[in-house]
Amino acid sequence: MGFELSKHYVLAAGGTGGHMVPAAALAEELTRRGHRVALVSDARGVRFPGLFEGIQTHVLPAGRFQVKKPLGWPSAVREMVRGRAMARELYRTFKPAAVIGFGGYPAMPALLAAFADNIPTAVHEQNAVLGRVNRLVAGRVGAIATSYKATERLAAKLADKVHLVGNPVREAVLALRSKPYPLLEEDGIFRVLVTGGSQGASILSQVVPDGLAMLPVTFRRRLQVTHQARIEDIDAVRAKYAEHQIPAELATYLPDMPEQLAWAHLVIARAGASTIAELTAAGRPAILVPLPGATDDHQTVNAREITRAGGARTIPQPEFTAVELAKQMQKLGLDPAALENAATRAKSVGRPNAVSDLADLVESLDAPLSRLPVGKPTRPKAALAGAGA
């Protein structure tokens, strides 16, 4: 679906994978529909590997307001004002039909400029808790696209502008949905993917090798591991796997994540929004360790839906020990049928039409009512279950 007229859209996102991956998926879909797209982000975002190739990119200053550091707020305000002015200058030449924010402070100047110029706006929330920047602008944007049926910190009075679309993933990940779960024979290779997301996770590096080493010998000998680790951890992790004689490939970044997911029988990961979206799109069982310091503990909330569906097991970080990991691995890994069932349950909560539904919503933002897409996403009341004011 899409309109015949080619339009210009600005996507504004913070520089982490959680913001950038869905923004890139939307950029790809809008470009496929014949539109032009520009990205506004920070220095990290415009250099994100494998995303936004061939897309016009802009770095705007954006101050960060840290609750515990109020002395830095005046400087943050000045940066935000400067970024807003630069965004308005961009809009004079690019003339966007709408500006879409994906969260993160780098999205704020672009949205403030759009408000000043009366350009239609929307935000997309990847997590199960509405993020700080999206909370700040939620009352002023034209639409709020959510990824979960229940989104916390979303005011009930905003119900009329809420659209449940899901969290877009890359086309290569979505393609895995139509493929079967990789064959797992009782004495065959058991492939484990360990990933802490775009920023890595030291706790996984500290616990996973020792946890896998505690498995029964017959199970341990079947393991084949791919482990994404932080650069400061990678040598120590490599040495641990070698000590335990567990075959493992180590990398600080996995540009071929769709390929890694394709062959993985089990994923051990953080519970970031993009990770959950990819697990549920592809249908892969997981052991999730939410980041305890995440804003509003949103990773714990992200993990609830897939865990309740039976597609994952969530272990709070204080309880994530080698012994506990080995116990959960044996429960899952020694029963191929149970693993395949968990994969099916993970897939059951995926939203494969997320990117097309989001693109439909974006195209409708500046359209007269008579030209709204027939498949416009609904506004389910369930999206506000448990929401705060």
Side-chain angles (χ1 to χ4, degrees):
M1 186 187 301
F3 301 138
E4 294 180 1
L5 295 177
S6 176
K7 298 181 181 180
H8 294 184
Y9 293 102
V10 169
L11 309 186
T16 64
H19 301 307
M20 298 301 293
V21 170
L26 177 61
E28 184 177 333
E29 176 66 13
L30 290 173
T31 301
R32 187 188 66 79
R33 296 184 182 198
H35 303 301
R36 284 189 61 195
V37 175
L39 168 71
V40 168
S41 187
D42 56 16
R44 297 174 303 166
V46 299
R47 293 197 302 265
F48 215 91
L51 302 179
F52 292 98
E53 293 179 2
I55 297 293
Q56 179 180 333
T57 60
H58 301 268
V59 176
L60 298 184
R64 182 177 180 84
F65 296 86
Q66 296 177 290
V67 176
K68 296 181 180 180
K69 297 181 179 180
L71 293 178
W73 292 359
S75 175
V77 169
R78 288 193 295 271
E79 287 295 281
M80 204 65 77
V81 169
R82 191 160 69 93
R84 173 180 174 271
M86 291 173 66
R88 294 189 74 181
E89 185 63 31
L90 167 65
Y91 300 165
R92 288 188 186 98
T93 55
F94 192 69
K95 301 187 185 306
V99 177
I100 318 303
F102 284 82
Y105 282 104
M108 181 70 91
L111 290 167
L112 292 176
F115 299 152
D117 291 344
N118 295 314
I119 298 170
T121 56
V123 292
H124 178 269
E125 179 54 59
Q126 302 87 48
N127 293 296
V129 181
L130 199 66
R132 286 178 181 172
V133 168
N134 284 349
R135 289 203 298 269
L136 287 171
V137 301
R140 298 185 65 182
V141 298
I144 302 169
T146 59
S147 301
Y148 293 84
K149 289 181 179 178
T151 302
E152 297 184 1
R153 304 298 295 272
L154 179 55
K157 64 183 179 182
L158 302 176
D160 286 345
K161 62 172 74 175
V162 174
H163 303 252
L164 174 62
V165 301
N167 193 10
V169 298
R170 289 165 284 187
E171 186 63 36
V173 173
L174 196 58
L176 300 177
R177 193 171 182 85
S178 60
K179 298 180 180 179
Y181 179 74
L183 180 65
L184 178 60
E185 299 177 352
E186 290 190 7
D187 59 349
I189 293 175
F190 188 97
R191 299 183 179 92
V192 180
L193 172 61
V194 185
T195 173
S198 62
Q199 300 182 70
S202 290
I203 188 67
L204 300 184
S205 295
Q206 294 162 12
V207 172
V208 173
D210 291 339
L212 298 183
M214 298 178 73
L215 294 170
V217 174
T218 53
F219 188 4
R220 191 170 70 240
R221 286 176 176 168
R222 296 168 51 205
L223 294 175
Q224 183 174 319
V225 180
T226 297
H227 189 131
Q228 179 223 349
R230 290 183 173 184
I231 191 168
E232 61 267 30
D233 299 331
I234 197 164
D235 289 338
V237 180
R238 184 177 286 111
K240 277 192 174 185
Y241 280 121
E243 176 188 343
H244 298 316
Q245 297 183 321
I246 296 173
E249 293 183 9
L250 280 294
T252 56
Y253 179 71
L254 299 174
D256 57 342
M257 182 60 76
E259 183 179 334
Q260 299 291 346
L261 280 173
W263 60 251
H265 294 110
L266 178 70
V267 179
I268 303 173
R270 286 296 197 194
S274 288
T275 297
I276 300 294
E278 291 180 345
L279 290 172
T280 57
R284 290 297 181 270
I287 293 174
L288 300 173
V289 187
L291 174 66
T295 305
D296 300 314
D297 197 23
H298 66 257
Q299 288 204 4
T300 296
V301 186
N302 289 350
R304 286 177 185 166
E305 188 175 58
I306 185 175
T307 301
R308 287 172 177 170
R313 298 180 181 224
T314 298
I315 306 175
Q317 183 162 309
E319 301 171 21
F320 185 61
T321 63
V323 172
E324 181 62 22
L325 175 60
K327 183 168 68 176
Q328 296 297 338
M329 284 284 296
Q330 286 187 78
K331 288 180 179 178
L332 285 167
L334 296 178
D335 186 350
L339 261 180
E340 191 162 353
N341 180 55
T344 300
R345 290 173 177 270
K347 188 183 292 187
S348 73
V349 291
R351 293 181 173 85
N353 298 322
V355 70
S356 59
D357 286 348
L358 181 57
D360 290 346
L361 175 62
V362 167
E363 285 184 321
S364 76
L365 288 172
D366 70 328
L369 290 177
S370 61
R371 292 183 63 207
L372 288 179
V374 175
K376 184 183 179 186
T378 57
R379 300 170 176 174
K381 298 295 182 183
L384 300 172

